[in-house]
Amino acid sequence: MAPPQPTPAPMPLVFGPASALLLVDVQNDFADAAGSLHVAGGEDLPPLLNALIGDARRSGALVAYTQDWHPEHTPHFAADGGAWPVHCVKGTWGAALHPALVVAGPIVRKGSNGEDGYSGFSMRDPGTGVTVPTGLEELLHRHAVRQLVIAGLATDYCVLATGLDAVALGFETAIVVDGVRAVDLAAGDGERALERLVSAGVTLVEATGA
Ligand code: VGL
Ligand code: ZN
């Protein structure tokens, strides 16, 4: 087997009028230490993300958000045969965006009908396997977005799925390496997710020092 390639050094982050900043699932259940699916370090993200949101707005870039938005019962949850503790149930504290995060643009919800909504772009019905779009692609096209900059939670699930879809849909896609955190169910999952994203054509960028 080929030795693992180190991920390339991140580049500085620059926004323009054809870019959008997408904040993925910065919700209490992931980003608050009391959340039911707390991602370690998620609570550290809002100040850095707010600085990015300010940069994006000053550059005329769109700022958009995704929100994991589940019914009380879904095959996405362990109690109903899935993988995860109950989290981000629509309308609950856990599903709300972290209160420290500045909200300065549209929010795209995913999973409302019980789908596995890992990607911000599409949802897969776990029963039928059918995939339906969320409206994010249409939103980005309506704003003439060509470059998508992604930060948020979690690196190894929703950020990964959203980044892979973004590249496949033809967006020039960047991930903010210091603006994401991983679940790391297995040690190294976050790093491997970044490697997969780079192999797919994603650029790694850094918020600090930008
Ligand atoms: C996510 C697990 C389950 C995520 C969502 O936002 O990364 N992870 N649902
Ligand atoms: Zn979920």
Side-chain angles (χ1 to χ4, degrees):
M1 217 168 75
Q5 297 296 307
T7 50
M11 313 212 299
L13 173 48
V14 185
F15 291 107
S19 31
L21 172 64
L22 182 67
L23 291 318
V24 172
D25 297 2
V26 187
Q27 295 168 259
N28 289 323
D29 268 341
F30 301 123
D32 190 294
S36 64
L37 192 39
H38 175 233
V39 179
E43 63 280 14
D44 302 335
L45 290 183
L48 177 136
L49 299 182
N50 289 342
L52 282 183
I53 291 164
D55 288 348
R57 297 185 75 191
R58 280 187 290 277
S59 309
L62 175 73
V63 179
Y65 303 76
T66 65
Q67 196 171 25
D68 214 29
W69 197 251
H70 297 299
E72 269 176 58
H73 288 281
T74 158
H76 184 67
F77 294 159
D80 298 288
W84 303 106
V86 173
H87 63 274
C88 299
V89 172
K90 50 179 108 174
T92 64
W93 170 84
L97 295 183
H98 191 287
L101 186 72
V102 171
V103 180
I107 300 172
V108 174
R109 289 176 173 165
K110 56 194 174 64
S112 324
N113 297 310
E115 307 93 336
D116 267 335
Y118 293 112
S119 167
F121 288 97
S122 62
M123 305 174 288
R124 187 184 151 278
D125 187 308
T128 63
V130 173
T131 297
V132 290
T134 58
L136 178 59
E137 184 186 9
E138 198 214 46
L139 172 77
L140 297 177
H141 284 151
R142 215 178 326 123
H143 288 265
V145 171
R146 291 194 310 273
Q147 294 108 17
L148 188 63
V149 177
I150 302 173
L153 301 167
T155 317
D156 34 358
Y157 293 95
C158 290
V159 169
L160 173 63
T162 303
L164 293 176
D165 273 356
V167 172
L169 291 168
F171 295 99
E172 253 178 66
T173 307
I175 305 282
V176 184
V177 290
D178 46 351
V180 294
R181 295 290 185 277
V183 175
D184 278 338
L185 273 185
D189 279 354
E191 267 310 306
R192 282 187 291 275
L194 291 180
E195 285 163 17
R196 276 184 68 187
L197 285 159
V198 168
S199 305
V202 164
T203 307
L204 302 184
V205 294
E206 205 167 24
T208 333

